[in-house]
Amino acid sequence: RYLYNKSVTEHVYLRVVYDFEGQTYQIESTADPFLISKEEESPKKKEGDGEAEKEEADEKATFSPVENRFLRPVKLPGGVAFKDIFVSYLDRRIEAGKAYTYFFPNGFATPTIINLRNEDDDEFYSIEVRPLSGRAIVRGEYYDASVTLEGKGK
């Protein structure tokens, strides 16, 4: 919710960068307007890797890390890892590389579901970012966003 409000009140574009390799997340910002277009398949994109989508989404915007004591990069605690992330502008889940949730100055956040797992991959939590409020909903279970994104789920 903080990022949602910051984006609107400061008229900046923000994004959360989820890094599967480092098991970290951090906040980046830009004042450069940009649009995210629906994913189109191309040979340079790898299944499960959000890097190619990032390049397409913000090829004209220059994002840089936010320097704010409240928004420092965060490493997930030991025993917790990203399982997968669903973002509304892609047709599949991301399981490697980087994924992004965007917050726009007009009060919109890209709908996102972050699924977390334990080391044994038998316990799950999910965090859903709501698009019109920036509110996060936490669930004590794996949340299959592919069903939701197709309009068949919760």
Side-chain angles (χ1 to χ4, degrees):
R1 196 162 254 257
Y2 178 79
L3 296 177
Y4 175 87
N5 290 332
K6 181 177 177 63
S7 180
V8 171
T9 59
E10 296 179 16
H11 197 71
V12 293
Y13 299 83
L14 298 172
R15 70 180 180 186
V16 181
V17 181
Y18 310 97
D19 181 355
F20 280 82
E21 183 178 327
Q23 292 300 308
T24 61
Y25 63 91
Q26 70 177 27
I27 312 306
E28 295 180 341
S29 71
T30 186
D32 302 331
F34 73 102
L35 297 173
I36 298 175
S37 61
K38 193 73 172 164
E39 175 185 32
E40 294 178 8
E41 289 300 319
S42 74
K44 70 178 181 178
K45 295 183 183 179
K46 294 187 264 182
E47 185 66 29
D49 183 1
E51 278 301 303
E53 291 84 2
K54 178 203 112 5
E55 292 170 10
E56 183 175 300
D58 61 5
E59 60 186 272
K60 294 182 181 166
T62 303
F63 281 87
S64 58
V66 172
E67 295 184 19
N68 178 320
R69 66 185 178 131
F70 299 113
L71 301 176
R72 294 182 183 148
V74 176
K75 179 156 182 60
L76 293 180
V80 177
F82 295 117
K83 177 159 180 71
D84 55 43
I85 297 176
F86 293 85
V87 287
S88 62
Y89 55 91
L90 300 177
D91 291 331
R92 59 182 168 71
R93 68 179 148 220
I94 297 172
E95 299 174 310
K98 294 182 180 177
Y100 304 87
T101 299
Y102 293 90
F103 294 85
F104 295 89
N106 67 356
F108 181 79
T110 52
T112 305
I113 296 174
I114 304 120
N115 284 304
L116 302 168
R117 63 175 178 81
N118 67 352
E119 289 176 343
D120 297 329
D121 203 23
D122 62 357
E123 290 184 44
F124 306 96
Y125 278 88
S126 65
I127 303 167
E128 177 183 4
V129 178
R130 294 285 176 102
L132 299 177
S133 65
R135 183 173 170 229
I137 297 171
V138 179
R139 294 181 178 88
E141 62 187 2
Y142 181 83
Y143 189 58
D144 188 357
S146 63
V147 174
T148 303
L149 294 176
E150 292 171 3
K152 300 175 187 173
K154 304 173 189 176

